[in-house]
Every structure is written in C-alpha cells, then in structure tokens.
Amino acid sequence: MSDRRIEELTVLPEATADEVLALIAAGAEEDGQPAVSEQGRLRVRHGERAGVRHLLLWTGPEHTELTGYAQIDGSDPVEAPAGELLVHPGRRSRGHGRALGQAMLEATGKRLRVWAHGGHPAARHLAVQLGLKLFRELRQMRRPLDPAASDLPEARLPEGVTVRTFEPGRDEQAWLAVNAAAFAHHPEQGSLTLRDLADRADVVFVGLDEAQDL
C-alpha cells in the first residue's frame, strides 16, 4: 500500500476547505508568506470554478492526514494552466512535493506554469526535479501610505476631479472596466470578473447584469 494518496476534486467540501486553508496557514507561518495566492485561497472556499482543479495529498495509516495541496487553474484559453502547491512544514523532504508536482504535470499533459511564491531554495530544487525552468520572476515594491510614516506630499487633485469611496451596487462595472484597461498586459489581474470582485469583497452584488453568474 502506498504511503500517500492523491485525490483530485473540482469542489472542496466545507470541512476539507477548512483543512486546506489551515494547511496553507501553517505553510505561511513557516515560510513567511502563503504558497497559494489570494485568488487561489478564495477558490478554496467559493465553490466550483470553470477550469479549476484541487489536488489533495493524503498520508497516514488510513490516508486521512492532509499533507499536501495543489491547485490547477486551466481557465486561460491561451496560456498553459497555472498551478500552486505546498506540503505541510512538518512533513517535507519525504518526496510528497515531487509526487504532487508530478500529479500536476500528468493532469495537464505536462503543459503547466507553476508559481513559487518567495523563491525559496526548496521550491527551486523541486522545479529542477520536475524538469521545470524559470521563465518569469516578479518583484514587489512597497512604501507606507500612512502620513505619519511617510514623506509623501499631500495629494492635489486636478480641477474638476473628486474622490469618493467605492459604493457596492453602483461602481462594480466601472471598476472592472478601469482595472481591465490598466492591466490589459497582465493575464491574471486584467481578467478579473464580477465574481472575482465579489469574492474579494465577500458580498453578493444583487441587481447587476452578471449577478446570476455569482
């Protein structure tokens, strides 16, 4: 009997979703940041999404211990499916990551892009084992916006321009249009939908054209 079992699902039961999020949190505490993106974590909880699959790696005598998790997003009609994965910090260096990565490659016909958040040496080592090559690297730049902790000058708006807070039920379509235009070059950020926005706001927008798709 194998010491691990990999299960593929398109929808995670609530209890399983809780386990997955706890696993991601445990990994983030160990690694300094989540191995699964915000969008990926939202997909864990918010039901079935077209093209999205969840791979669960179970271990233990009865295969009841959630040891690894991977998510594959094949919704992009042009780009190869994108994936993210992690193994529980206390059960690493036992071949589980390689088994999970190989399962992802098999599930996608070896046409796969894998995000490794943080660029940890272990992730680079696993990439070599799986025959993957680095082709894109993102760097994040930040600065504080709190006036007390920042030297930013006071904002001066052009004449005739006003600023107000976002209003749910009124501003969604306009926000999505601006976001799509600003990130037309970005395959993930530029393709946000009304459902993606609703997931992040944790609300359901009623009365909009796409509300029935939520």
Side-chain angles (χ1 to χ4, degrees):
M1 182 178 178
S2 173
D3 62 346
R4 66 175 71 94
R5 176 177 65 90
I6 296 178
E7 176 183 20
E8 180 179 318
L9 299 173
T10 56
V11 179
L12 296 177
E14 183 176 353
T16 304
D18 289 340
E19 287 190 77
V20 168
L21 293 175
L23 172 62
I24 294 172
E29 184 174 358
E30 175 71 17
D31 302 329
Q33 68 181 94
V36 178
S37 64
E38 177 198 39
Q39 182 167 318
R41 298 195 301 274
L42 288 169
R43 289 174 181 148
V44 169
R45 181 72 73 188
H46 289 277
E48 185 172 3
R49 296 296 292 264
V52 175
R53 290 176 282 176
H54 308 272
L55 275 61
L56 309 170
L57 189 148
W58 304 93
T59 62
E62 302 296 329
H63 291 159
T64 56
E65 300 174 11
L66 183 61
T67 294
Y69 170 74
Q71 185 178 122
I72 300 173
D73 177 10
S75 60
D76 193 304
V78 178
E79 295 285 353
E84 300 171 299
L85 75 156
L86 79 153
V87 172
H88 190 284
R91 299 168 194 155
R92 294 174 177 174
S93 301
R94 304 178 192 180
H96 298 316
R98 184 170 184 175
L100 200 52
Q102 288 176 335
M104 296 171 72
L105 288 170
E106 292 173 5
T108 58
K110 296 186 178 180
R111 187 171 180 264
L112 178 69
R113 298 171 294 143
V114 179
W115 287 101
H117 303 285
H120 296 285
R124 295 180 183 272
H125 177 67
L126 178 59
V128 172
Q129 288 184 314
L130 296 173
L132 302 175
K133 296 180 180 180
L134 178 66
F135 78 99
R136 183 180 178 190
E137 188 170 7
L138 302 181
R139 297 184 180 273
Q140 192 175 76
M141 303 173 68
R142 300 181 180 183
R143 67 168 298 149
L145 297 179
D146 183 354
S150 172
D151 58 356
L152 289 174
E154 183 179 354
R156 294 184 178 180
L157 300 176
E159 185 177 351
V161 174
T162 59
V163 176
R164 61 172 172 79
T165 57
F166 182 92
E167 294 184 16
R170 175 183 177 185
D171 295 331
E172 290 77 20
Q173 298 295 354
W175 187 95
L176 289 170
V178 171
N179 183 76
F183 294 98
H185 63 289
H186 196 291
E188 293 90 13
Q189 182 68 29
S191 62
L192 287 181
T193 66
L194 183 63
R195 180 173 178 178
D196 294 325
L197 182 57
D199 285 345
R200 284 159 175 75
D202 199 27
V203 297
V204 175
F205 301 126
V206 178
L208 299 177
D209 293 341
E210 297 181 49
Q212 65 270 21
D213 297 327
L214 295 179

